[in-house]
Amino acid sequence: MSDVATQAGEILDRLGVADPFVGDGDLVARSPIDGSEIGRLRSHTPEEAAHAIGRAHAAFERWRTVPAPVRGQFVRELGELLREHKEDLGALVSIEAGKIVSEGLGEVQEMIDICDLAIGLSRQLHGLSIASERPGHRMMEQWHPLGVVGVISAFNFPVAVWSWNAALAFVCGDAVVWKPSEKTVLTALGCQALVLEAGRRAGVPDGLSAVLVGDRTVGEVLVDDPRVPLVSATGSTRMGRQIAPRVAARLGRTLLELGGNNAAVVAPSADLDLTVRGVVFSAVGTAGQRCTSLRRVIVHESVKDELVSRLAAAYATLPIGSPLEPSTLVGPLIDEAAFRAFDEALARARADGGELVTGGTRAAVDGGGFYVRPAIVDMPAQTEIVRAETFAPLLYVLTYGDLDEALALHNEVAQGLSSSIFTLDVREAETFLSVVGSDCGIANVNIGPSGAEIGGAFGGEKETGGGRESGSDAWRAYMRRATNTVNYSRELPLAQGVEFG
């Protein structure tokens, strides 16, 4: 057994996960740090998945009658357990997803933050009082629990995205059935152990939270089951195109967080010191494997040479290696398939006339794993490969002459998740944020496109799917709306002045 596997086993034990490994399991858990096998797990059968959904539905029928502030106490217990186990769960994220230490811990902090938000929300699930045109009538709307929420998550945020959904769903009165990525099952089991302990302390119904282990056949059960009124899915646009029509066919709801092809416009007035820091973090953090990673820099021709030179110098200093080392800033790609996609995208960019500025090769790191040197490619135009999302640290540089041209390049791609502009010109900044500016769900000024806070709604438009998670009024996706009219008069006037009899 490798050192990484031993460490993972010890962490799972401290999190309260009973030994999940079986010698003849069909699902292999590996660490991208060195490619080693951590253990083998047994996938759930479709029948077991359906049974878990049934238990969750039964739990929902009890949970929905619990007052929302009391439901908030359950999430409070979960938040406290996450604080207690932050170091362990963060380390498990690093071991299984390859995130550097600070990002693994940061992901758990996101979970804690959303629990805090949800606790407050449990006392603020507000409806509206609405003016009625009929005398002696009161009209209002209420928000009621929805049912079982299915969550399908990706490897790159193996625990935070689940928590964005689960914390809100729990206080809204819903049950949650989670299908994590096959690449990051252990972190899901760790979270489930903490949820079960929080549930024991708070006295929640059995089955309120469940984890389904397996491949897409298990996920398809969740997608197709009519007892799951909402499926929240995070992943590729290709995956979303498969899930959305299946859920729609049974008239269910989807909350989709799909691909991104995020850009930063760098204007002539940009503070280049700040810009370089923002670009580097957004482009190479998590080894470019965030949905909000910076893929394109659209830089004004007057500052292009200086910006590219400074970016190349910064890239040359990036420590690449095991994410468990505190000094590392760039960890591994998740697997060999990700490395091949990186390599193929670089080849296509070169074939399209792109000039490799720096990086683009495999980095020599002891112990195996797929580590690469983050690449910058100067492109003559926004070609097909630039418009595609490559889940790796690959940054394309495009040049513009005026802001209209920059916005046209920015909005030309099919995805619409996150965006940014670096400028000290208030007119440029406000134009970028206006209706004729960025067409993304997230638009930032003088920070990169990644690193969203819990308080704002997270999500994007176009092929990103249109879903919103986390803060603002994203909680409404997990509830159903009822409009109520109460007649407290002795008459029965009809709306719109209709007379009958």
Side-chain angles (χ1 to χ4, degrees), residues 59-66 68 71 125 144-149 167-175 208 478-479:
F60 157 72
E61 291 184 327
R62 294 173 57 194
W63 187 239
R64 64 183 175 179
T65 64
V66 174
R71 299 194 295 253
L125 299 173
H144 297 300
L146 182 61
V148 177
V149 174
L168 298 189
F170 288 143
V171 298
C172 288
D174 302 327
L208 190 69
Y478 307 91
M479 305 197 82

Side-chain angles (χ1 to χ4, degrees), residues 12-284:
L12 289 170
D13 185 62
R14 289 195 294 270
L15 291 173
V17 179
D19 186 4
F21 302 120
V22 292
D24 59 348
D26 61 296
L27 186 61
V28 180
R30 294 188 182 276
S31 173
I33 294 175
D34 57 6
S36 64
E37 180 178 315
I38 299 174
R40 294 175 179 262
L41 302 95
R42 185 184 69 82
S43 296
H44 288 114
T45 66
E47 293 74 22
E48 289 171 327
H51 178 70
I53 294 169
R55 290 187 71 227
H57 181 73
F60 157 72
E61 291 184 327
R62 294 173 57 194
W63 187 239
R64 64 183 175 179
T65 64
V66 174
V70 178
R71 299 194 295 253
Q73 293 304 309
F74 165 47
V75 177
R76 183 187 298 278
E77 295 286 359
L78 176 58
E80 290 304 315
L81 285 166
L82 288 169
R83 286 180 171 88
E84 180 182 340
H85 294 280
K86 179 178 177 179
E87 297 288 332
D88 272 339
L89 189 54
L92 192 58
V93 169
S94 293
I95 288 170
E96 197 173 32
K99 290 192 171 185
I100 63 173
V101 171
S102 66
E103 288 186 316
L105 293 172
E107 184 161 349
V108 182
Q109 186 60 50
E110 282 193 47
M111 303 174 76
I112 295 167
D113 293 344
I114 195 65
C115 285
D116 287 349
L117 185 147
I119 293 163
L121 178 65
S122 69
R123 294 181 181 271
Q124 299 182 74
L125 299 173
H126 300 312
L128 296 173
S129 292
I130 305 166
S132 173
E133 66 186 60
R134 291 169 284 184
H137 286 59
R138 178 169 64 88
M139 188 160 54
M140 63 181 181
E141 69 177 26
Q142 295 187 80
W143 293 87
H144 297 300
L146 182 61
V148 177
V149 174
V151 177
I152 299 173
S153 62
F155 77 86
N156 60 326
F157 278 86
V159 292
V161 169
W162 165 79
S163 71
W164 296 352
N165 288 274
L168 298 189
F170 288 143
V171 298
C172 288
D174 302 327
V176 177
V177 178
W178 180 16
K179 163 60 177 70
S181 166
E182 302 97 298
K183 300 174 183 179
T184 50
V185 174
L186 300 183
T187 47
L189 295 179
C191 290
Q192 176 69 355
L194 299 182
V195 170
L196 293 177
E197 174 58 21
R200 185 190 66 78
R201 297 179 183 183
V204 307
D206 290 341
L208 190 69
S209 174
V211 171
L212 302 181
V213 175
D215 60 15
R216 62 175 293 162
T217 60
V218 175
E220 287 171 349
V221 176
L222 197 59
V223 167
D224 293 335
D225 197 306
R227 295 170 296 181
V228 183
L230 172 65
V231 175
S232 176
T234 301
S236 67
T237 297
R238 178 183 58 82
M239 179 204 71
R241 284 200 178 101
Q242 294 171 351
I243 288 175
R246 293 180 71 150
V247 178
R250 58 178 177 84
L251 301 182
R253 300 187 200 173
T254 54
L255 194 166
L256 300 176
E257 296 286 357
L258 309 176
N261 193 344
N262 316 293
V265 174
V266 181
S269 67
D271 177 338
L272 289 188
D273 289 335
L274 184 149
T275 302
V276 168
R277 293 198 301 273
V279 166
V280 173
F281 169 72
S282 299
V284 309

Side-chain angles (χ1 to χ4, degrees), residues 5 10 98 103 115 127 229 240 245 325 348 362-363 410 413 425 471 501:
E10 292 171 350
E103 288 186 316
C115 285
E325 294 295 329
R348 290 181 60 186
R362 189 168 178 179
H410 180 282
V413 299
D425 185 323

